[in-house]
Amino acid sequence: MPRDGFDVSVQAQWGRNFDVRPLYWVISGIFVVLTIFPLIRSARWWVRAADFPRLQIATALASLLASYILFIDINDLWDVLYLIFMVPALGLQLVRIFPYTMIAPNQVRKTSSYRRADSIKVMISNVLMENRRATDLLQVVREVDPDLLLVVETDDWWHQKLVPLDELFPYRIKRPQDNYYGMELFSKFELEADDVRFLLSDKIPSIRTGVLLPSGVWIEFFGVHPRPPDPDHDSEGRDGELLLVAKEMRRSKRAAIVAGDLNDVAWSHTTRLFQRMSGALDPRRGRGMFNSFHAGHQLLRWPLDHIFHDTSFTLVELRRLPNIGSDHFPVFAELQYEPSAEAKQDAPKADHEDREEAAEMIQEAREGGADKNLGSPTYEL
């Protein structure tokens, strides 16, 4: 029966003997499977890759579901089964991405009374090692004027091009590398450490250092850039490094910030576990996704670059910065150290199951790193 407002059915328009529903079922099935993949507790790269494009998958599911309801008569068991699979799949995707919309509650309070001596402006940038637009990065840095600048994927070429920043930042930690894991930290504030460290692999550095605010308060800063899941590497190394940092952050006696290209999205199981294990807050929640990757593909973007912090900080400003020629946009946040906010902000909490899972994932990362010759672990927690 044709629907009200239509002279002929869509099936009649596309051919009286052609049932379009199987095409819907096949295409929709792909997106349903991609929705199910992140529920699987596996470090396989092709499973974890489905964590990233949740917004794109949700958009596809919503479009397919809406057009099916609008143009196809729901009149047999197959149609009902289609709805039974599609509606929960779309709902699950929306549940995961909703906290990163502007209609969701804020996880981090806005600063009410600004004090420059207690604030810190943090900028992070994955420059893309082959990128040669160093002048664009330098211009953005001068315009934003951060107190703390973390740059990753720096090789010797980038190391030389960033030398002019030495005049602006008297405190520096530099480790250029030609394997996409170089890391350089520039600071206007005194740093406690003077070198990188290696958590799970002697090829992938990270940074842990105290930072002295102008008010005289020492805070802890963690700079991270773990290996992403890809066809050559599953996610054990990334997951293990993030959870090691989470345990360190939870045990730190100081207020703490974790920043960098985490090679994971904000809504993944690993990142949510990281938040529960560390007690870290995400200033994006309730303010938007701030998608930082891929800068070159407007329809395929998700948040890979993160600035997390504990409940001692409130948010002054958060924004994504202009394209510098990399596949990542730089990200900027100004935070204010405000101990009184601890009573007003709820830190995510880990339960016994979370702690057991984190311990297992860290152990798998150590074993996986040794098995794949990623370098021997040089750090024990």
Side-chain angles (χ1 to χ4, degrees), residues 66-83:
S67 62
Y68 196 95
I69 293 173
L70 183 62
F71 297 123
I72 306 295
D73 288 329
I74 309 298
N75 55 17
D76 65 21
L77 178 61
W78 292 108
D79 297 324
V80 174
L81 287 174
Y82 179 81
L83 298 180

Side-chain angles (χ1 to χ4, degrees), residues 82-129:
Y82 179 81
L83 298 180
I84 288 175
F85 280 98
M86 287 290 284
V87 172
L90 176 59
L92 178 59
Q93 296 290 4
L94 294 177
V95 165
R96 286 287 178 259
I97 63 179
F98 172 76
Y100 301 92
T101 64
M102 298 183 70
I103 59 175
N106 292 339
Q107 189 172 58
V108 177
R109 297 173 66 91
K110 189 76 172 175
T111 300
S112 57
S113 179
Y114 181 68
R115 301 184 305 275
R116 181 66 182 104
D118 282 318
S119 73
I120 181 168
K121 295 187 286 185
V122 181
M123 174 179 166
I124 56 176
S125 180
N126 180 326
V127 295
L128 182 63
M129 196 170 70

